[in-house]
């Protein structure tokens, strides 16, 4: 026994008697010994440790997996045997065709089933007569065999001069049959044991090959099905689990579990492609609206699955990328790798990038206005510039460029473009607007040329065009540079080029970002023949960028990933090969950096004799056109429009020398002094012009006073 511990210390009483010095003894007992842990608790903990150990789990999964392989393999073999012996396969295909609404195929399978049943009936009828036929055949065969053996024995007896040789062949045959019987008796016992084992092994092999076991018993590397190959069963299961009741019920009713819905799975670039014929009662837009869920069912990310509508009715086309393939960069542009490449505006196609199938995406630019849009910093300028770089290799093409971002993306076109305006201010917007209006004048000049005249292409490029549409500045005639009204200068100039420029090779290319009805008016976006969109925020923006037809057909730039899918765009254009039935195509554009762009531009400059680039439009002295018209009219009540133009040219040849009736009409429109017919000829009324001038000055004075 352990001894108690004696503790000696002063009395803690704060007020002891004065004559007392007390010492107390405190006996501290030993602490109580810890209670032993019961055996059943220790055993339970040990059992729990063993059960929850990873080795135990792995072993249990392996045992369950191989057992289920054998069981389910037996089911597969039994079903295959049943299908081979009965018409079950034909009945399944018949029900699948009926569920899919394909009644012609259903009739074909019904005919095949009927032929199978007739052939089976004939075989069964033949079996009724076969025992007698077999008995006759056996009797005849045995009799003939005995006769042959006896004849052989006779020949041996004659040859050996021994009568006993007559039965020698027959005796040898009987002895051989006895040997076979003894061999069967020896082998039969082990065969009864080995046979079932071989059968189980065969069923296990079938189940293992088909992986006929639930996911929880599979090894870790198999349970993680990220990026697994796309097979018919995976596609059907993904469609079944989309949450569309009509789809799920139709697949259950199909005897082939939905396989009849699928066309061939084809390798298409960095993924696969398959057409799915939807069962009756399921619309294509129901599948399109569940793109994310379908992608997850296919063990893919949303951006790795594209759903389009082909020409066949009630059909969707699925393109499923190999896992992670779309995150890999594509190769360099042929413009960079092939220094001998040239361009042909009329007959050539620009190598813009690759489609999802890995094929080259080449775009024809011949007589097509272009619009490319997207969110900021998604590669819009680089994509637009790459088209201009290719076209620059055709020495006949002219460029007028307005860069309203002004950070130098287009600066390398100095010495190649005839006009290059760079900057984000309102003054730059004014200059770009006047550049586009000058393009309208050039277009009108070409239109008035003799029929059959061929003109070189004039490409008018405005990058960040939303700056022009949103510009609030008014000109001297109170006409806005921005906006989308009939008096908006930039808007109307673009509309005029869209209406008539294509015929005389005056083309408008615009790049905008984050489109809205305010910064990209409906008439302008619908005037472009080639419409491309990088990543956008909403479906409504996608419809603005590409049009309703493309979006309804599966185009979804709003599902591209901002920042991750830079340079990937959705394109709607007649200038590129689009698979039949689709309204758009997804293109991963080549990235051409500034150094490579400069090298290409140097090659383009070498093809030309030299281009002087106008960086600022010289407007000279600002004249009051309405006041000048009033001055040249003089005292005459009305003057022919042709004479008015001549008098204006005499007044200031630099300003009015190139004027046409269109310029004169533009100044007078909306003033109340528009040209009118008198005696069948167009004239300008002096009184009307004077009144318009007075009203304008009065309006200006009132606005200044306000």
């Amino acid at each position: 026994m352990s001894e108690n511990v004696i503790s000696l210390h002063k009395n803690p009483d704060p007020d002891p008697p004065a004559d007392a010095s007390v010492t107390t003894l405190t006996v501290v007992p030993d602490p109580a010994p810890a209670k032993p842990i019961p055996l059943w608790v220790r055993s339970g903990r040990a059992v729990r440790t063993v059960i929850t150990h990873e080795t135990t789990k792995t072993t249990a999964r392996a045992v369950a997996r191989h057992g289920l392989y054998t069981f389910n393999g037996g089911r597969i073999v039994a079903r295959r045997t049943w299908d081979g012996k009965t018409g079950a396969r034909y009945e399944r295909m018949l029900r699948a065709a009926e569920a899919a609404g394909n009644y012609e195929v259903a009739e074909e399978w019904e005919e095949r089933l009927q032929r199978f049943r007739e052939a089976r009936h004939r075989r069964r009828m033949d079996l009724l007569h076969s025992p007698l036929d077999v008995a006759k055949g056996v009797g005849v065969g045995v009799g003939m065999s005995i006769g042959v053996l006896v004849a052989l024995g006779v020949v041996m007896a004659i040859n050996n001069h021994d009568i006993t040789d007559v039965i020698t062949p027959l005796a040898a045959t009987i002895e051989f049959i006895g040997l076979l019987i003894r061999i069967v008796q020896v082998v039969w016992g082990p065969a009864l044991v080995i046979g079932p084992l071989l059968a189980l092994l065969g069923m296990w092999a079938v189940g293992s090959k088909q992986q006929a076991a639930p996911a929880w018993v599979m090894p870790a590397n198999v349970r993680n099905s990220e990026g697994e190959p796309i097979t018919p069963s995976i596609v059907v299961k993904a469609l079944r689990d989309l949450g569309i009741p009509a789809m799920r019920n139709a697949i259950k009713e199909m005897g082939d579990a939905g396989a009849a819905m699928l066309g061939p799975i084809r390798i298409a670039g960095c993924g696969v492609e398959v057409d799915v014929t939807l069962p009756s009662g399921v619309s294509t837009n129901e599948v399109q609206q569940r793109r994310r869920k379908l992608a997850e069912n296919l063990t893919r990310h949303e951006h790795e699955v594209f759903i389009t509508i082909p020409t066949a009715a009630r059909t969707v086309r699925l393109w499923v990328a190999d896992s992670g393939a779309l995150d890999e960069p594509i190769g360099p542009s042929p413009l960079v790798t092939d220094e001998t490449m040239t361009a042909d505006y009329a007959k050539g196609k620009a190598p813009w990038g690759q489609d999802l199938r890995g094929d080259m995406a080449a775009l024809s630019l011949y007589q097509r206005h272009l619009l490319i849009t997207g969110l900021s910093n998604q590669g819009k300028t680089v994509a637009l510039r790459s088209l201009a770089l290719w076209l620059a290799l055709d020495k006949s093409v002219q460029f007028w460029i307005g860069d309203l971002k002004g950070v130098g993306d287009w600066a390398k076109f100095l010495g190649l473009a005839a006009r290059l305006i760079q900057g984000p201010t309102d003054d730059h917007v004014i200059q770009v607007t006047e550049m586009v209006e000058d393009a309208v004048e050039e277009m009108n000049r070409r239109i008035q040329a003799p029929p059959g005249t061929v003109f070189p292409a004039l490409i008018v490029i405005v990058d960040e065009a939303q700056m022009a549409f949103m510009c609030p500045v008014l000109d001297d005639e109170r006409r806005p540079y921005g906006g989308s009204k009939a008096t908006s200068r930039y808007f109307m100039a673009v509309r005029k080029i869209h209406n008539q420029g294509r015929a005389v090779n005056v083309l408008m290319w615009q790049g905008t970002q984050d489109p809205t009805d305010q910064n990209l008016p409906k008439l302008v976006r619908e005037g472009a023949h080639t419409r491309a969109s990088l990543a956008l925020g909403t479906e409504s923006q996608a419809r603005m960028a590409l049009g309703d037809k493309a979006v309804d057909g599966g185009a979804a730039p709003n599902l591209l990933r901002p920042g991750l899918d830079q340079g990937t765009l959705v394109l709607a254009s007649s200038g590129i090969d689009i698979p039949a039935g689709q309204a758009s195509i997804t293109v991963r554009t080549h990235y051409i950096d500034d150094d490579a762009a400069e090298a290409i531009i140097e090659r383009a400059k070498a093809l030309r004799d030299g281009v002087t680039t106008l960086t600022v439009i010289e407007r000279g002295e600002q004249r009051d056109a309405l006041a000048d018209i009033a001055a040249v009219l003089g005292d005459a009540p009305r003057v022919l429009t042709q004479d008015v133009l001549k008098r204006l040219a005499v007044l200031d040849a630099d300003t009015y020398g190139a004027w046409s009736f269109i310029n004169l009409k533009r100044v007078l429109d909306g003033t109340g002094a528009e040209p009118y017919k008198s005696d069948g000829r167009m004239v300008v009324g002096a009184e009307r012009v004077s009144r318009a001038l007075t009203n304008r000055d009065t309006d200006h004075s009132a606005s200044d006073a306000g």
Side-chain angles (χ1 to χ4, degrees):
M1 179 181 293
S2 61
E3 297 181 356
N4 290 334
V5 178
I6 299 176
S7 175
L8 179 63
H9 56 81
K10 296 288 185 179
N11 190 337
D13 186 5
D15 298 317
D19 57 350
S21 177
V22 180
T23 299
T24 61
L25 294 175
T26 303
V27 178
V28 181
D30 287 340
K35 295 182 178 180
I37 299 176
L39 178 61
W40 65 270
V41 174
R42 293 198 302 271
S43 301
R45 290 177 179 175
V47 171
R48 184 178 64 181
T49 301
V50 171
I51 292 176
T52 58
H53 195 274
E54 187 61 30
T55 302
T56 305
K57 293 180 180 179
T58 303
T59 304
R61 280 198 297 264
V63 172
R65 178 170 67 253
H66 293 291
L68 289 171
Y69 279 168
T70 304
F71 176 75
N72 291 326
R75 293 178 56 190
I76 294 172
V77 171
R79 183 170 182 176
R80 290 175 179 174
T81 304
W82 178 258
D83 287 346
K85 297 294 183 181
T86 67
R89 178 183 294 114
Y90 300 94
E91 293 176 357
R92 283 202 306 273
M93 300 303 294
L94 174 61
R95 289 196 299 270
E98 289 177 344
N102 197 339
Y103 297 106
E104 293 181 0
V105 176
E107 291 177 359
E108 182 180 348
W109 281 110
E110 187 175 13
E111 292 177 1
R112 293 182 180 182
L113 176 60
Q114 187 63 30
R115 290 196 297 268
F116 171 80
R117 287 174 175 171
E118 291 176 355
R120 184 179 60 184
H121 176 71
R122 286 194 299 269
R123 290 194 301 270
R124 289 177 177 176
M125 294 301 295
D126 292 340
L127 288 176
L128 296 176
H129 304 284
S130 59
L132 181 59
D133 295 337
V134 169
K136 291 180 179 179
V138 169
V140 172
V142 170
M144 292 181 63
S145 299
I146 293 175
V148 170
L149 292 174
V150 171
L152 180 61
V154 171
V155 172
M156 292 176 62
I158 294 172
N159 184 61
N160 297 331
H161 305 286
D162 187 357
I163 190 62
T164 59
D165 286 344
V166 173
I167 62 172
T168 297
L170 187 60
T173 302
I174 294 172
E175 185 178 353
F176 177 72
I177 294 173
L179 176 62
L180 292 179
I181 293 173
R182 287 194 296 273
I183 291 173
V184 170
Q185 290 175 343
V186 172
V187 173
W188 183 254
L192 291 178
V193 177
I194 297 175
L197 294 178
L198 292 176
L200 291 175
L201 181 61
M203 291 188 292
W204 174 88
V206 172
S208 175
K209 185 176 181 180
Q210 298 291 329
Q211 291 190 348
W216 63 269
V217 302
M218 304 301 289
N221 60 336
V222 177
R223 290 199 306 272
N224 181 14
S225 58
E226 180 75 18
E228 63 183 349
I230 299 300
T231 62
S233 60
I234 289 176
V235 175
V236 171
K237 185 176 183 298
L239 294 170
R240 184 195 67 193
D241 297 338
L242 273 183
I244 304 175
M247 175 90 76
R248 183 175 60 252
N249 295 334
I251 291 175
K252 286 182 179 179
E253 293 174 2
M254 294 180 185
D256 62 345
M261 297 192 306
L262 306 184
I265 297 180
R266 304 175 296 274
I267 296 176
C270 57
V272 296
E273 185 178 72
V274 59
D275 287 350
V276 180
T277 302
L278 301 178
S280 179
V282 181
S283 62
T284 55
N285 66 327
E286 288 183 283
V287 178
Q288 285 182 306
Q289 292 170 0
R290 292 168 171 81
R291 176 183 172 185
R292 173 174 293 181
K293 190 170 186 179
L294 177 61
E296 293 172 350
N297 290 348
L298 294 169
T299 65
R300 295 295 192 274
H301 297 291
E302 184 178 12
H303 71 278
E304 294 176 327
V305 174
F306 288 82
I307 306 172
T308 54
I309 310 299
T311 53
R314 211 172 68 242
T315 302
V316 294
R317 177 169 294 161
L318 306 181
W319 185 87
V320 185
D322 297 336
S323 184
L326 294 183
D327 296 327
E328 299 293 330
I330 63 175
S333 170
L335 291 173
V336 178
T337 58
D338 185 1
E339 296 184 356
T340 63
M341 176 176 283
T342 58
D344 187 338
Y345 161 71
K347 299 179 181 179
K349 291 188 175 183
W352 209 5
Q354 293 181 359
D355 62 17
L356 296 178
R357 295 166 180 79
D359 300 327
M360 176 184 290
L363 177 66
S364 172
L365 304 174
Y366 178 65
Q367 293 188 344
R368 289 179 175 87
H369 303 301
L370 184 143
L371 171 67
I372 179 170
T373 186
L375 298 177
S376 178
N377 195 33
Q378 297 305 307
K380 167 179 53 62
T381 298
V382 172
L384 183 60
R385 188 178 67 178
S386 66
L387 294 178
L389 289 172
W390 176 80
L391 200 54
L393 296 176
D394 183 340
K395 64 181 181 180
S396 67
V397 177
Q398 304 171 16
F399 292 97
W400 292 4
I401 301 174
D403 177 14
L404 293 177
K405 185 189 296 182
V407 296
D409 291 331
W410 296 88
K412 292 179 175 55
F413 277 78
L414 187 66
L416 181 65
R419 298 190 183 188
L420 178 59
I421 300 168
Q422 303 178 89
T425 66
D426 289 341
D427 189 57
H428 292 101
V429 171
I430 293 172
Q431 293 186 48
V432 168
T433 301
E434 293 177 348
M435 178 187 75
V436 178
E437 290 175 338
D438 288 346
V440 174
E441 295 301 323
E442 172 63 17
M443 176 189 73
N444 292 332
R445 183 189 69 80
R446 295 183 177 191
I447 290 174
Q448 295 170 5
T453 305
V454 179
F455 298 98
L458 171 59
I459 310 299
V460 183
I461 301 175
V462 179
D463 197 8
E464 305 297 339
Q466 75 279 355
M467 300 285 291
F469 287 113
M470 299 301 291
C471 180
V473 178
L474 304 178
D475 64 9
D476 294 336
E477 299 175 10
R478 311 294 294 174
R479 296 178 61 199
Y481 285 93
S484 57
K485 298 180 179 178
T487 57
S488 300
R489 292 181 59 176
Y490 181 80
F491 170 76
M492 291 304 298
V494 172
R495 287 290 300 133
K496 290 174 182 177
I497 294 178
H498 278 176
N499 290 337
Q500 295 180 296
R502 174 180 175 273
V504 290
N505 289 327
V506 177
L507 302 180
M508 192 77 206
W509 292 6
Q510 296 182 96
T512 69
Q513 64 174 256
D514 202 10
T516 64
D517 282 327
Q518 289 72 38
N519 65 24
L520 187 58
K522 185 175 187 292
L523 291 177
V524 169
R525 59 183 186 248
E526 291 187 350
H529 304 101
T530 296
R531 300 168 70 173
S533 175
L534 294 109
L536 288 173
T538 63
E539 182 180 325
S540 62
Q541 287 184 316
R543 293 184 181 276
M544 292 180 192
L546 300 175
D548 292 335
K549 180 181 179 181
V551 174
D552 291 338
N558 53 301
L559 297 181
L560 295 174
R561 301 166 298 167
L564 297 177
D565 291 325
Q566 286 182 327
T568 299
L569 52 80
V570 183
L571 176 65
S573 173
S574 61
I576 193 170
D577 294 332
I578 297 178
Q582 295 182 203
S584 64
I585 188 171
T586 301
V587 176
R588 303 172 69 195
T589 59
H590 293 294
Y591 176 74
I592 302 178
D593 59 27
D594 290 344
D595 293 337
E598 185 174 7
I600 297 170
I601 290 175
E602 291 301 322
R603 287 159 45 196
K605 290 179 180 178
L607 299 174
R608 292 165 168 80
D609 295 332
V611 177
T612 301
T613 300
L614 180 64
T615 58
V616 177
I617 298 177
E618 299 292 343
R619 285 173 284 183
E621 179 184 356
Q622 295 294 322
R623 299 194 64 93
D624 188 338
L626 188 59
D628 287 344
I629 292 172
V632 300
L633 290 176
D635 297 331
R638 66 186 66 86
V639 178
L640 294 174
T641 54
Q642 294 179 355
D643 293 338
V644 173
L645 292 173
K646 292 178 182 178
R647 295 177 185 183
L648 288 172
V650 172
L651 178 64
D652 190 335
D654 293 336
T655 303
Y656 303 116
W659 268 38
S660 64
F661 174 76
I662 295 175
N663 300 90
L664 180 63
K665 185 176 182 297
R666 188 182 68 184
V667 172
L668 297 177
D669 280 349
T671 64
E674 295 84 354
Y676 63 95
K677 280 191 175 182
S678 176
D679 296 330
R681 304 185 68 181
M682 297 300 294
V683 298
V684 177
E687 183 180 353
R688 296 183 181 185
V689 173
S690 177
R691 184 168 56 250
L693 189 60
T694 301
N695 293 338
R696 189 195 68 180
D697 294 340
T698 302
D699 293 340
H700 285 186
S701 299
S703 63
D704 292 341

